[in-house]
Amino acid sequence: VNEMSCTGQLMALDGSFSRLSDGRCLVHSHFPTLTATGVWLTSGKWYYEVEVLKPGLAQIGWADAYFAPQDRKGLGCGDDIHSWAFDGHRKMRWNEESNEWGKGWKAGDVIGCAISINAANKKGTCKISYSCNGSWEEPMGVAFTDVPFQ
């Protein structure tokens, strides 16, 4: 069971988790995908943080409207062309394929997840960056550039 801290309103797109009264999220299924409720990003700069309470396998990131996770197959954020993720357990960035990137996370680390979307005619490009404990310095920083975003 992986644990992370969550304070916003979350729902599972696929898979299952529970939210405890102290804000922790406990993962119950193989590879669930969680999302914030009532959020649809079309332009601008956005940011969220995840506190790692118990290190383990997780892919944290962003997805477009065509993303379709499959918990039972282990397909989550970053595993298709419609999502982009960072995994500090394996030190990889993901977008359908993986590349070695970033810093390994440990208990207590706060992972920042930022996106800047330039929208034009309902389609745009974005830049995705990650921080660890407030540092955007290498090996963290910009993970994806000129990403098509719909």
Side-chain angles (χ1 to χ4, degrees), residues 7-77:
T7 56
Q9 296 297 316
L10 297 176
M11 65 176 263
L13 286 180
D14 195 26
S16 64
F17 77 104
S18 61
R19 186 171 175 161
L20 304 178
S21 61
D22 64 2
R24 289 181 298 144
C25 292
L26 298 178
V27 172
H28 300 295
S29 59
H30 178 68
F31 207 63
T33 297
L34 311 182
T35 186
T37 58
V39 176
W40 188 267
L41 307 180
T42 57
S43 65
K45 295 181 180 187
W46 300 86
Y47 178 83
Y48 70 92
E49 294 179 338
V50 174
E51 180 182 2
V52 179
L53 300 177
K54 186 176 181 182
L57 182 64
Q59 291 172 205
I60 300 169
W62 302 93
D64 70 18
Y66 299 101
F67 172 58
Q70 297 180 46
D71 174 68
R72 290 181 187 223
K73 291 184 178 181
L75 300 175
C77 189

Side-chain angles (χ1 to χ4, degrees), residues 54-120:
K54 186 176 181 182
L57 182 64
Q59 291 172 205
I60 300 169
W62 302 93
D64 70 18
Y66 299 101
F67 172 58
Q70 297 180 46
D71 174 68
R72 290 181 187 223
K73 291 184 178 181
L75 300 175
C77 189
D79 290 322
D80 69 4
I81 62 171
H82 298 288
S83 59
W84 304 264
F86 167 60
D87 172 357
H89 180 69
R90 295 178 282 187
K91 295 188 275 186
M92 305 286 256
R93 63 181 172 189
W94 295 81
N95 174 240
E96 192 174 24
E97 298 177 348
S98 63
N99 309 67
E100 189 173 320
W101 186 89
K103 175 182 177 177
W105 54 41
K106 61 187 182 316
D109 283 347
V110 175
I111 306 302
C113 204
I115 189 168
S116 177
I117 305 169
N118 277 328

